[in-house]
Amino acid sequence: MSSNAPRLTALDALHRSLGATMTDFAGWDMPLRYGSERDEHLAVRTRAGLFDLSHMGEITVTGPGAATLLNHALVGNIASVGVGRARYTMICREDGGILDDLIVYRLAENEYMVVANASNAQVVLDALTERAAGFDALVRDDRDAYALIAVQGPESPGILKSLTDADLDGLKYYAGLPGTVAGVPALIARTGYTGEDGFELFVAPSDAEKLWQALTDAGAPVGLVPCGLSCRDTLRLEAGMPLYGHELTTSLTPFDAGLGRVVKFEKEGDFVGRAALQEAASRAEENPPRVLVGLVAEGRRVPRAGFSVVADGKVIGEVTSGAPSPTLGKPIAMAYVDAAHAAPGTAGVGVDIRGSHEPYEVVALPFYKRQK
C-alpha cells in the first residue's frame, strides 16, 4: 500500500456495506453521503443522524505542566477549564495567523485531550510538540487510539439514554464524562457541529462497529439515519459555524474572523502570538476588519467559496462557504464583507456568480438556531 493511499476509519467496511459514496477528505476515505444529502440534513434537524468523525485528530497532553503548556501554546485560558469540561479555542502562529481551531477536553487534573481538524492534525501535533520544550508535560499522538462517532439531533438524548446509565441530563454543553455505551467504554461529550443537541463518543477503534450498530438499532424507531460529510457541511453552515480553510486560515487572526473572544490576554504568562494578537486587537478597534456575515439568495443560484461579494459595482468582500440550505429552502453563504456593508438588511449587496451580480440579503449569523 503506497504511503499516499487514503487512511481508512474503523467503520470503512460498514460504510461501504451501507452503499455510501466515499470521498477523500484530508487524506481519509470518508462517507460523503449514503443517499440524499437533503434527507440526511433534515433527519438531523428533526430526528437524528449518525456520523463517523474518526478522521478528527486526538492529541493527549499529560503531566504536571500540561495546563501551563496549553496556556502557552493556545490562545485560550485552558488552565481555568474544570475537569470534565471542554473549551473551544485556537492555536495561532507567532504572527497571530490561525493554525487551527480546536476543542480541548480536561479529562483529569493533569490530562487533556486536544481535538484538531483532520486537515491540520499533523500541524497541531508538531506545533504542540515543539512548544512543549521546557514544560513538564508530554504530548502524545492518539489519532490511532480513537474512533469518533457522533449522534446529533433532537432525538439523540433519548437514543443515547437507552444505551447508557451515564448521567446525560447532568452533562452540560461542552462537557465530557467517561461512561459505557452499549457495553463499550467511551468518553461521552456533549458537543457538536450541527446546531443541534447531540453527543460525540470517543471509543477504541475495535469497538466502533459494535457501537455504530447499537446506535443504529436504538435510533431506528425514531428515524435516525447515517449521515455523511456533505450534510455535516450544510448543517454547520446553517448554524454559522466556521470551517478551517474557509472561514479560518493562517492569513486571518481570530480578531479578523470575529472570534477575538477566544483570545484571553488576561491569563498568566506569555503565549505564542500574544504580541501580534494584541496588535490585531487594537487594529480591529480602530479600523474594523471585514465582518463575517450571512447572505441569503433572492434567486436560485448557489454562491461558492471564493466568489466576490459586490455593491455599487465594487468588490466589498468574498464568499467563504456557500450551499443550498435545506432548512431555509434557499441558497445561503457566509462571507467576509467590508464593515460598511455588514449590517443585516444592507441594501444593494450581490454575489458575482460567473459575471452576473445576483442579489443577496445580508443577515446576522447563524441562519438557523434550534428551539431550546
Side-chain angles (χ1 to χ4, degrees):
M1 202 168 138
S2 68
S3 60
N4 57 5
R7 298 179 67 174
L8 307 180
T9 78
L11 294 164
D12 185 73
L14 196 145
H15 298 315
R16 291 170 197 279
S17 74
L18 292 171
T21 301
M22 305 295 285
T23 188
D24 177 34
F25 183 81
W28 289 82
D29 223 3
M30 297 298 293
L32 189 63
R33 70 182 79 81
Y34 298 85
S36 147
E37 290 161 18
R38 187 174 176 276
D39 290 352
E40 290 172 24
H41 178 110
L42 295 173
V44 176
R45 285 277 176 260
T46 58
R47 304 185 306 277
L50 193 57
F51 296 84
D52 179 8
L53 305 179
S54 303
H55 60 312
M56 300 295 279
E58 297 88 5
I59 301 161
T60 304
V61 181
T62 55
T68 323
L69 161 60
L70 289 171
N71 263 13
H72 163 73
L74 311 179
V75 300
N77 188 353
I78 308 305
S80 68
V81 178
V83 173
R85 297 306 304 262
R87 185 156 297 164
Y88 176 78
T89 187
M90 293 182 185
I91 182 166
C92 289
R93 301 194 305 199
E94 199 63 72
D95 68 0
I98 303 166
L99 282 173
D100 201 12
D101 61 334
L102 311 163
I103 295 179
V104 180
Y105 296 90
R106 189 170 198 166
L107 304 180
E109 188 59 34
N110 293 329
E111 184 183 0
Y112 294 82
M113 182 167 68
V114 176
V115 181
N117 285 298
S119 54
N120 297 328
Q122 191 63 48
V123 169
V124 174
L125 177 68
D126 291 346
L128 285 176
T129 304
E130 189 183 313
R131 294 174 190 187
F135 290 90
D136 188 5
L138 185 71
V139 175
R140 187 174 73 230
D141 179 0
D142 268 347
R143 284 177 289 179
D144 293 336
Y146 292 102
L148 178 55
I149 295 173
V151 55
Q152 296 275 309
E155 296 286 358
S156 57
I159 294 168
L160 202 54
K161 272 180 193 171
S162 72
L163 297 173
T164 184
D165 55 9
D167 177 19
L168 298 186
D169 291 334
L171 187 65
K172 296 185 175 74
Y173 187 52
Y174 266 72
L177 88 169
T180 303
V181 182
V184 168
L187 171 67
I188 306 167
R190 197 168 206 156
T191 50
Y193 194 53
T194 60
E196 298 299 335
D197 191 11
F199 303 87
E200 299 191 327
L201 306 168
F202 295 86
V203 298
S206 55
D207 289 330
E209 213 163 303
K210 178 185 174 186
L211 180 58
W212 179 281
Q213 205 49 61
L215 288 161
T216 299
D217 296 345
V222 290
L224 171 134
V225 299
C227 293
L229 290 179
S230 192
C231 83
R232 183 170 156 86
D233 192 47
T234 51
L235 289 160
R236 71 93 197 166
L237 178 54
E238 288 184 351
M241 293 176 168
L243 174 63
Y244 196 88
H246 289 256
E247 288 71 39
L248 310 173
T249 67
T250 48
S251 63
L252 295 172
T253 73
F255 294 94
D256 298 319
L259 290 164
R261 64 179 181 275
V262 305
V263 181
K264 303 300 181 193
F265 293 121
E266 69 279 10
K267 65 179 172 175
E268 274 182 41
D270 197 16
F271 62 91
V272 178
R274 179 193 271 274
L277 289 168
Q278 272 170 328
E279 275 177 41
S282 45
R283 221 177 25 244
E285 272 181 34
E286 288 162 32
N287 182 17
R290 283 183 164 176
V291 180
L292 189 64
V293 300
L295 298 173
V296 178
E298 291 178 23
R300 309 299 314 162
R301 297 183 75 184
V302 178
R304 297 295 182 193
F307 286 12
S308 294
V309 183
V310 291
D312 306 321
K314 293 189 188 69
V315 174
I316 56 149
E318 187 177 302
V319 171
T320 52
S321 297
S325 163
T327 306
L328 276 65
K330 297 173 180 180
I332 60 171
M334 286 202 277
Y336 282 111
V337 302
D338 294 345
H341 293 86
T346 301
V349 172
V351 175
D352 186 339
I353 301 184
R354 297 181 188 85
S356 161
H357 291 187
E358 301 284 329
Y360 273 74
E361 183 191 354
V362 178
V363 299
L365 291 169
F367 299 96
Y368 166 86
K369 205 163 190 165
R370 72 182 167 98
Q371 305 303 307
K372 294 280 186 233

